Amino acid sequence: MKEDVSEKLGFVPQKDIVYNKLLPYADILDEESNDLLGKIKGNLGRAVQLREIWPGVLFWTRKLSTYMRLYGRKFSKEDHVLFIQLLYELITIDKLEISMMQGLARLLINLLKKRELLSREDLELPWRPLYELQDRILYSKTEHLGLNWFPKYAPLLFYHSVENVLKTLVRSCRPYFPESATQEMLEEWRPLLCPFDVTMQRAIGYFELFLPTTLPPELHHKGFKLWFDELLSLWVAVQNLPGWEVHLVNLFARLANDNIGYIDWDPYIPKIFTRILRSLNLPVGTSQMLVPRYLTNAYDVGHVVLWVSALLGGPSKQAQAQLSGLFNSITSFFHPSNHGRWLMKLMKLLQRLPASVVRRLHRERYRKPTWLTPVPDSHKMTEADITAFVESMMQPVLLAMFSKTGSLDAAQALQNLALMRPELVIPPVLEKTYPAMETLTEPHQLTATLSCMIGVARSLVSGGQRFPEGPTHMLPLLMRALPGVDPNDFSKCMITFQFIATFATLVPLVDCSSAVHERSDLTEVEREMCSASAEFEDFVLQFMDRCFALIDSSTLEQTREETETEKMTHLESLVELGLSSTFSTILTQCSIDIFKVALEKVFNFATTNIFETRVAGRMVADMCRAASKCHPAQSLKLFVPHCCNAINQIAVNEEVLSEEELDKELLWNLQLLSEVTRVDGDKILPYSTQLVQILQLTLHLKCKQGYTLACNLLHHILRSTALIYPTEYCSVPGGFQQPTQDYLPIKDWGRPGDLWNLNIQWHVPRVEETSFVFYVLDLILQPELLRLQRYAQGERDMTRDDVLQSLSIVQHCLLGAGSLLPLLQGEPIPELENYRDAICRVMRQLLHHILEHSEDDTKSLFSIIKIISDLLHFKGSHKQEFDSRWKSFNLVKKSMENRLHGRKQHIRALLIDRVMLQHELRKLTVEGCEYKSIHQELMRDLLRLSTSTYSQVRSRAQSVLFTALGTYNFCCRDLIPRVLEFLEPDRSDVTQQQFKGALYCLLGNHSGVCLANLHDWDCITLTWPAIVRSGLSSAMSLEKPSIVRLFDDLADKVHRQYETIGIDFYNVPSISHFIIYYWSVSLRKYESLVGELLDCLNDRNMPWKFEHNAIGFMSLLLRDDHPLPSPAVLFFVKSLNHDSLLVRKLAISAVAGIMKQLKRPHKKVPVSGLKEPAGMIAGDRPDNQWLQYNSSSLPRTQQDWEGCTFVEKTHWGYYSWPQKLMMYSPSEEQPKQGLTREEMTEREQIIYDHFSDPVFINQLIEFLSLEDRKGKDKFSPRRFCLFKGLFRNFNDAFLPVLKPHMERLVADTHESKQRCVAEITSGLIRGSKHWSYGKVESLWELLCPLLRTALNNITVETYADWGTCIATACESRDPRKLHWLFEMLMESPVNGEGGSFVDACRLYVLQGGLAQQEWRVPELLHRLLQYLEPKLTQVYKNVRERIGSVLTYIFMIDVNLPYTQPTASPRIKEFTERVLLRLKPLTEGDEEIQNHVVEENDVGEQDERTQAIKLLKTVLKWLMASAGRSFSTAVPEQLQLLPLLFKIAPVENDDSYDELKRDAKTCLSLMSQGLLYTEQIPLVLLALQEIAGSSSWHARYTVLTYLQIMVFYNLFTFLSDQGAVNDVRALVIRLLEDEQLEVREMAATTLSGFLQCNFLSIEGPMQSHFEALCKTRLPKKRKRELGSVVDTIPSGDLVRRHAGVLGLSACILSSPYDVPTWMPQLLMDLSAHLNDTQPIEMTVKKTLSNFRRTHHDNWQEHKQQFTDDQLLVLTDLLVSPCYYA
C-alpha cells in the first residue's frame, strides 16, 4: 500500500491521517494536498529569503498548520526536518514579538509531536537558544518596570500560556538535544544551586525542564549518570518540602519512565513511597497541625503516578510490595463516609495509576518498536506483576465507587483495570450492581454502579479466554436496567439510557437461539449465549413500552400549568436526546425481524395518538425518525402515505390555511413527516411529488407553528438529498442478514471495527438528486425572492408577518441546499444564476428598506442577520454543531476505548463518525478567505446593524461581524476607519446607540479579534487617539453607567492584551534597504502616536476619565529598545505632582522605567585566579572564603575599596564556580559618574532640572508622604525603583535637596512619613552601587544617624516597612560594601531602650538584612548569637517570638545536605548543648512545670528554675519557627529536648492553657510529622521508650499520640526496618498494660490504627497474648462487711484483664468496613466480658456499638461470615435490652 501512495505523491509520507483514505472522494486528495504543500514550501522559502517575517512567513506557517490539520504529517522525512529547522531558527530570533513566537512555537510543537517519526540521527537541535528564550521572557529584567509588555489575557490566563507554550516547546525538542548537552547544562546551572537563594528554584526548574532522559543506553554516561547520584542524594537529604522539591520529583519520574530497567531504584523505594504518602496530606490522630507549605508544595499526582508505574515489575518486586502497602494503609480513607480536602488527590491517584500502568503495558507489548530505548525483557511486567497490581487496587476502587465526589474516577480506574484482569475486576462490580438494581431506596447506589458498569462494558461483553462467562451477564443486566427508565428520576433515567446504549452499541441484537440445534461446534458458554439471545426481541419491546410510558407522562398538558412556557425545559431536552440516541442505537443493532416488530409498534403508537408538538411530539417524532433512518424503504412506505393523506384531508378545507390556531392533528402529522424525511436522499425521491405537493400546501399557512414545521420539512428534504454522509452505523459491516449456519452474531459481541475494511455506505448526491434540489429551489425559493424584492422596491405591500414568513422560507432553503451553492462571487454570471448571490442581492435591498422605513421590525432584522451569516460561512454544517459533535465523539471514545491494545481499536460506529467529522472539518476549514467587494459590502451592512437603535439587533449583528473579521484577510484595516467615524468629536449627528455600538465593535468578543488593539502600528495610531478624543464627542455622557463601563472594559482589555510591538526586530542578519525603510517608518509612527496622545492630554476640555486612559495608553508605549520622546518624558515628570493619585501612581512607574532607559551600561570583566575545589564540594570552602564578611579586612580606604573584588549576587560560589564569574571593571573604564548639566542628553536634563528644583521636590515629598488607604499601605517597590534610578543615573546630585526632607520625615513618627523616608533610603543605598568611595563614605555619615533615629522612633505600623527597606537595600549586594550598615545594626539590637517592642523591631530589621546575605556573613551571625544567648530569657512574648525567628535564620545555613562542608556559620548542635545545660533545673526535678513567672522583671536575680522556664519558652518559639522554614531538621538535637516537651504538653484539647503548654503541644505535633532518615529511627524510638517509663502519665499518653503520627508519616521507612517495627509493637503492647486508664485506652486506639494501616498485622502470637490476658482471674467479690466501702480487688489483675480486652477490641475496630476470618471468634471472646467489672464492661459496650455502627451498611454481606450460633449471640448483644419486659 505504501508503494503506490509514494508513486502518486512522489515521496513516502511521514504519517498522514488515515481517515482521509475512507472518504468517498479519497482519490482526489493526493493532488489537492501536493498542490498546497508545493505552494507552502515555495512561498515559505521565498519569504525567508526576503526576510519578510510579516506577513509572508506568518501567513504561510499558518497555512502549514491548516495543512497538518487536514492531511496530518503528509510530507517526506527531509521536508519534515527542514520545516522543523526553519521554525526553530525563526522562534529563536532575538526580539521576535511574543505573539509571533507563540504561533510559530505551537506549530513546531505540532511538528515534533510524534517522536517516533524522527530519530536522533535525523535531527539535532541545540538547547541554548531555547534556554535564552525562556530566560528572556520568563525572567524578563525589564517587564516589571513596564518597558516590555507581555499579553495577559484574562479568559485563558494567556500569560501562563506563554509559559506553558515555552515549556511544551522545550519538552518537544528535548529528545533531540546533542549528547554533550547534559554536561553543558550542569556547568551552566550548577553554580545556581544555593539552597538559601531564589536561584535554587530556578536552577532545579531548568534541570527538570531541559535535562534529556531519552539517550540510548550506550550514551548514559553522558546523560543521567552525570547527575543522578548528586540530585537524588539532594532529594533524599531534604526534609521540609521546599518549593523546588516538586521539580526534582517530576524529573525523577520522567527519568524512571524513560529508562525502565536501566536504573536500580530498589535502595530508594521505601523513601520514595514514604514521601508519596506524606504528600497526600492525610489527617492522622486527633490534634494535628498542618504545616502550610506541605499543602502548597505537595507533589503533582500525574508525576507520582508515572514514577510508581515505572518502578513496578523487574526482578525484585519490591515496588509492588510497597504499593500494596500504600493502598492498604490508605484504603479506609476511600470509604464514602470519609470526606476532606485530601479526597480529590486520592481519587486522582486512583484514576490515573491504572491508566499509567496500561500505558506502560501497551508500550512493552503492543507498540511498534521505535528508535526510543525499549524496556529490557528482564524488567517487563509479567502476568504475575499485573495480577498483583490489580489485586492491590481493587479494594480502594470498590470503596471509591460510592464516593461523594461522584463515581467517575472509579469508573475510569475500573475501565483500565478490567482491560488487564477482567476476571478479577468485573465479578465484584457485578456483585454490587445486581442488588443496586433491585433497591428502590438508594438511587445513588444505582447511578454509581451503572456508571462503573459502563466503564467495564467492553471487557465484559467481549469475554475472551480470561473471562469467558462475561457475556452471559449481559441480558440479565439489560432486562433489570429497564425499570430505570423512570419519568420521576431524571439522573437515573439518563444513566440508564447511557447504560443500555453502551451495551447495544457493542452487541448485535440478533436472535440466534436456532443455532443451538443447527450447529454442533459451540462451547458451553456460547450455547448459553445463543439461547439467551432469544430474549432480545422481548427486551426491545419492553424498552419501547417504557419509553412510551415516559412520553405519556411528559406531555405538555401534564407537566405545565396554562401560563407557563411552551418550550422544552433543559432537562426535557436532555431526556429527549438520551431517548432518541438510545432508541436509534438499539434499532441500528437489531436484526431485520426484530426491527419489523418494533417499526409496527412505533408506527401504531404514533398514528393512533395525536401529540402536542412541543415536548411529547418531539420525542415520538424522534423515535420514528430513528426507525426510518435504519431501514428507510420499509419505514417511509408506512409513514409518508399516512401523513400526506391526513394532511390533505384536513387541508381540503380552504379556510384552514388562514386560521391562526391550527388543528392539532394537522400539526402533529406535519411534524411527524418533517422528522421521518431526515433519511437517505435516495429513498426519498420516489415520494418527491407527494412531498412537494405538501410543501406547496403548507408553507404559506397563516399559523406560525404550522409554517415553521413546513419549513423544517423543506430544510430536511433538501439536506437529505444535497449532503454527503454515511447511511449506516451498524457494528458489523453489511448488517446481520445472514443465516445462522454460516454466520454466528454472538462471535461479534464487543468486536472492534476494522479500519481497513469498514465498508462505509456513503450517500453522495446523484444527478437526479441534485436536479431535484434545484427544481425545489426554482419552485419555492424563486417566488419568495421576487416577492421580497418587489416589497423592498416599494412595488407591493406585505405585513410584517408575511415578510417574516418569506424570510423563514429563504433561510431554510439556504440551510438545506447550502452545500451545493458555490461561494459568493459578487459579479453575476448571466447564464447560471447562483442562488447564493441572488439571496444576497435581495437581502441587502430588503435590509436597507427595513432600516429606512420600519427599523422596529426587529424579528425580520434578526432573520436577515442570520441569513447574512449563513451567506458568508455556511457550506453544509455549522461550526458550533461541529465542535459539540467533536467533543461528544471524544467523550464516547474515552469511555469505550481500549488503551491496552491501542491502534485505533474502536467500535465501527465510532470510526465511521470520525471519518464523517473529517469530512466536515474539510468543509469548515476556511481560514484566510479572499476579501472581495461583495464581502466588503456585507461587512458594512453588518456594521450598520451593529450601530443601530435596538440593543438586541446590535449584539447579534456584532457577533456575526466578529466571526467574519476572523475569517477574511485584511478586512480589519478596511473596517476600523468606518467604526471610528462614529467616535469623531466634531460630528453632531451620532446617537448614543451608534456611539455604544461602535465602542462594542472596538471591544470585540472575549475570544475573537479586538479592533482597539490590533497588533500593528497603523491600527493603534488610529484607534488609541480616537478612543481618547471620543471623550469630547456630543454622544458621550459619563452619566450613563453603561458607557462608563464600556470605556473601563476597553482600557482594561487594551492593558491586558497589549504586547510591545516591535520597531526593529527586522534586523535579521542581512539587512536590505526595505528593512531600514520599514524601521524608520515604524519609528515615525511610534513617535507620532506619542505626540497625538500628548496633544489630547493638553486639551483642557478632556474629561478626567479620558485623561487617565490616555496616560494609561502612554505608559504602554515605554519600550526597552527605544527611549521615550522628550516631550513625553517632560509630561511624566510633571505628572509626578499631578492632583490625581491615579496619575501620580502611573507617573511614578513611568519615570522609574524612563530611568532604566537612560541608564548607562557598565562594563564587566571575568574575575581571574579562582581556584576550583577538587571534586564536588559545596558550602564554606577555602576557595570561597574571600567572599565572606570579615571585619578585620573590610575596605575602609579609597585604595582598599578599589582593590576589593565585589561580587553582588549571593549565590555565586556556594555550590560551585560558574565558568566565567563576572565583576565590574575598575572605575576608570566605567561611564563617567557625576555629569554636569552640559554633558547630559535632553531627556536627562529635563529630569535633572525638576529634581534639583526645591519647589518641585517639596511638592513631591508632600505627595509621597500622604496616606493612601489608612492602615493598608505598604512599602512601595515602584517608588523604590524611582529613587534607585535617580541616584544610580545622577549620582548624589539630588542629595543636598533631599537631605533636609529626610531628616524632617525621620523625626516624625507618622506611618506615611516614615514609609516615605524608608522608600528613599532603600533607593539611595541600592542606587549607590557604582559611586566612588568618597561619596559612599559621606553617604553613610548621613544615613547612620538617620537610621538610628528611625529605629528609635519605630512603631507597630512602621516596623514592617523598615524591615522591607533594609532587606531591599541588602538584596544582591556584597556585604563588604554595606559594612557601615551592618555594624550600625549590630551595635545593640536588644538593649532595652524604648521597651521590649523596640527591641523586637530592631531584631526584625536586622534579620531582614542578614537573611538577604545568606551564607556570606558567618562572622556577623556568630556575633549576633553570642549577643543573644544571655538574653534568651526574655519576659515579653513579642520579643521571644522575634528571637525565635532570628534564631531560625541564624541556623538556617547549618544544613545537612550531600557534598556540603560543615558550615562556618553557627551550628545547632553546639547551641543545643549550651541550652540544655541551662535547662537542667527543669529536666532533673520531677514536679510539674508551672508557668509561675511574674511578668515584670523583679528586682534581684530570680532562681535558676524560673530563668530556665523563660529560656524554654524562647526555645519553643525557635522550634516552631524553624519547622516550616529550614531544609533539614536537626533530629538528634531535638531529641534531647523531647523528654521536656512530653512533660509539659497537656493531654486534653483545650485552648485555655497558657502559652508554654500550647507551644509545647504544637512543637510535638510539628516534630512528629517530620521526615526521618533511616538512621534516625532507632534514636527516636530509644528516646520514646525512655519517656514511656516516666512517672508522669501525661508524658506516657503523649508518647502514643506522637507515635501514631510519626509512624504514619514515615510508614515505609519504618517498615523497611524490621527491628523498628518490633520495637514499636513492644512499646504499644507495654503501654496497653499501663496503670492509668487513659493511657491504656490510647494504646488500644494506637494499636487499632497501626493494624488498620497495615503497619502491624494480626498474627497468632499477638492474639493468643491478648486472649491469655483476658483470662486473668479476678478474685471473687466477698460479702462486704458493713464498714468497708472500698473494693479490694488487686488492681494489677484488673489492669491485665482490661489490657487483654482492649487488645481484642483494637483488633475488631481495626477493620471497620469488612469482616476478616478471625473476627467472629474474637467477637465471641469479647462478648464473654460484657458483665465484667468496670472499666471492662464500658470498653466492651463501646466496641460492640462501634462495630454495629461501621458494619451496619453492608450487614447483609457481612452476615455470611458468621455461623448461626455466633449470629444468635451477636443479635442478643447488639439489640439493646427491652425496658418494658
Side-chain angles (χ1 to χ4, degrees), residues 345-381:
K345 247 191 152 146
L346 285 182
M347 297 304 272
K348 220 178 196 170
L349 177 72
L350 205 61
Q351 175 219 328
R352 292 192 177 178
L353 191 55
S356 186
V357 173
V358 165
R359 205 170 300 128
R360 173 173 166 186
L361 279 174
H362 171 66
R363 162 181 157 189
E364 287 178 4
R365 301 182 175 189
Y366 302 99
R367 199 165 71 185
K368 289 186 195 140
T370 60
W371 62 272
L372 293 162
T373 318
V375 180
D377 290 343
S378 59
H379 283 74
K380 286 187 175 163
M381 287 183 73

Side-chain angles (χ1 to χ4, degrees), residues 1268-1287:
D1268 176 4
R1269 297 169 311 167
K1270 185 163 179 58
K1272 296 259 179 71
D1273 295 352
K1274 289 191 181 64
F1275 180 93
S1276 154
R1278 288 177 178 183
R1279 299 180 183 182
F1280 155 74
C1281 289
L1282 170 71
F1283 285 114
K1284 174 181 160 186
L1286 279 175
F1287 293 118

